Amino acid sequence: MGDRQVVTRVEFDETPDPRPQSVLQILSGRNMERRRRAIIGLRHVDSKKALPVLQKAIQDSDEQVRLLAQTQFNKILAALELAVKKMEAELTQSARDSSQLLQLAEQYHELVHLGVSSPETETVYLDRASELLREALAKDPENRTIRFLLLKCAVKSGQVPAAKAMCQSLKAGGFQPEFLAAWEAEIHFQERDWDSLREALLEVDQVPEEKRRGDAGEGLVGEGEAERVPGDQAHPPCRVLPPELLAADPEHPVGEVHADHAADA
């Protein structure tokens, strides 16, 4: 008689967790039906907030989840790109005032910030945004909102001299320095200027948490001023600090500033 083989059945606990779960938690779970329903439910969520979640779901082990996520992702991206094309068409038929140019530049920058395009496409978007912003700045030289978005585009593009010049321009114009410190830190990182980076991080570390994570446009440009600062002023593309910088002063936790954003790098 041959050897007898016994297969032991593994029981999985499918008891639903009574605690509320985020969509990301559900997508990380084993329940396939719940993952599918979560993707369908994202249709009722703001499209720009849904995109990063859908990107994760495209890698799901279940084919149905992947197909649902990919289809929804493509629809959202197509709608965003169509909106930009529509604004471009409207711009050619208008007087091209600075507010229109800024609005369109913000849309291009937002497409880059969402992280859903290839590096080549991101370069095209950033170049177009910068072109529009320079035209807008020529029409409205004192507009700090335009200057600030130009700073962000320059940093994202790795154009260090342009970013430094725009940062100095904003400082000279009275822009609150605490909202420039994190961007200065990124500039110094790109330059590999560790001493200046350390100083900039210390400034970031001193910014109150409510200001560092506050809503865009609140208290950024002076009381009573109508300008608004677009988007992610408190969240530039931060990096993980080099070991030699962290080791410079182990008593001061400067690395914690970037550690909060390491996942975004």
Side-chain angles (χ1 to χ4, degrees), residues 24 30 49 51 58 65 71 92 94 100 109 127 135 141 145 147 155 165 168-169 177 201-202 212 219 223 226 232 245:
L24 285 175
R30 292 192 299 259
K49 293 180 180 179
L51 278 174
I58 290 172
V65 173
T71 300
T92 61
S94 68
Q100 285 181 300
H109 179 266
D127 287 347
E135 183 180 346
T145 303
R147 292 180 180 275
V155 169
Q168 291 301 319
S169 172
L201 285 174
L202 289 174
R212 210 186 305 162
E223 192 172 350
D232 52 339
L245 182 61

Side-chain angles (χ1 to χ4, degrees), residues 1 7 12 22 58 92 103 110 123 135 142 181 199 208 222 244:
M1 296 178 65
V7 178
F12 291 101
S22 69
I58 290 172
T92 61
Q103 186 179 13
E110 182 70 13
T123 298
E135 183 180 346
E142 303 303 318
E199 293 177 8
E244 60 268 29

Side-chain angles (χ1 to χ4, degrees), residues 127-223:
D127 287 347
R128 179 57 176 155
S130 298
E131 179 186 3
L132 291 164
L133 290 168
R134 286 192 292 269
E135 183 180 346
L137 193 61
K139 295 174 181 288
D140 189 1
E142 303 303 318
N143 191 313
R144 287 182 286 182
T145 303
I146 297 172
R147 292 180 180 275
F148 188 71
L149 190 54
L150 263 172
L151 165 64
K152 294 199 286 186
C153 288
V155 169
K156 182 65 176 176
S157 301
Q159 299 175 3
V160 173
K164 291 177 72 173
M166 198 54 61
C167 200
Q168 291 301 319
S169 172
L170 285 164
K171 280 185 173 181
F175 199 91
Q176 292 189 23
E178 61 264 33
F179 292 106
L180 293 175
W183 294 94
E184 286 185 293
E186 175 64 17
I187 292 170
H188 296 317
F189 181 92
Q190 292 185 14
E191 292 180 306
R192 300 299 189 265
D193 183 350
W194 307 131
D195 290 337
S196 297
L197 173 58
R198 179 178 177 76
E199 293 177 8
L201 285 174
L202 289 174
E203 291 183 30
V204 174
D205 205 26
Q206 294 169 4
V207 177
E209 185 70 13
E210 60 273 15
K211 283 192 175 183
R212 210 186 305 162
R213 299 189 181 277
D215 293 332
E218 293 187 4
L220 301 185
V221 289
E223 192 172 350

Side-chain angles (χ1 to χ4, degrees), residues 55-74:
Q55 278 185 301
K56 173 181 172 62
I58 290 172
Q59 308 299 322
D60 196 274
S61 59
D62 176 59
E63 183 180 14
Q64 188 65 24
V65 173
R66 294 197 303 270
L67 288 173
L68 287 168
Q70 187 69 67
T71 300
Q72 197 166 332
F73 181 91
N74 290 343

Side-chain angles (χ1 to χ4, degrees), residues 73-142:
F73 181 91
N74 290 343
K75 286 182 178 179
I76 292 173
L77 190 56
L80 291 173
E81 291 176 343
L82 182 62
V84 170
K85 290 179 180 178
K86 183 179 178 181
M87 292 176 66
E88 283 278 15
E90 292 173 349
L91 191 64
T92 61
Q93 303 170 9
S94 68
R96 300 175 72 90
D97 62 67
S98 61
S99 61
Q100 285 181 300
L101 294 163
L102 173 60
Q103 186 179 13
L104 181 53
E106 286 177 334
Q107 293 303 309
Y108 278 113
H109 179 266
E110 182 70 13
L111 285 172
V112 174
H113 182 65
L114 288 171
V116 296
S117 303
S118 67
E120 294 78 12
T121 303
E122 284 189 356
T123 298
V124 172
Y125 288 161
L126 286 168
D127 287 347
R128 179 57 176 155
S130 298
E131 179 186 3
L132 291 164
L133 290 168
R134 286 192 292 269
E135 183 180 346
L137 193 61
K139 295 174 181 288
D140 189 1
E142 303 303 318

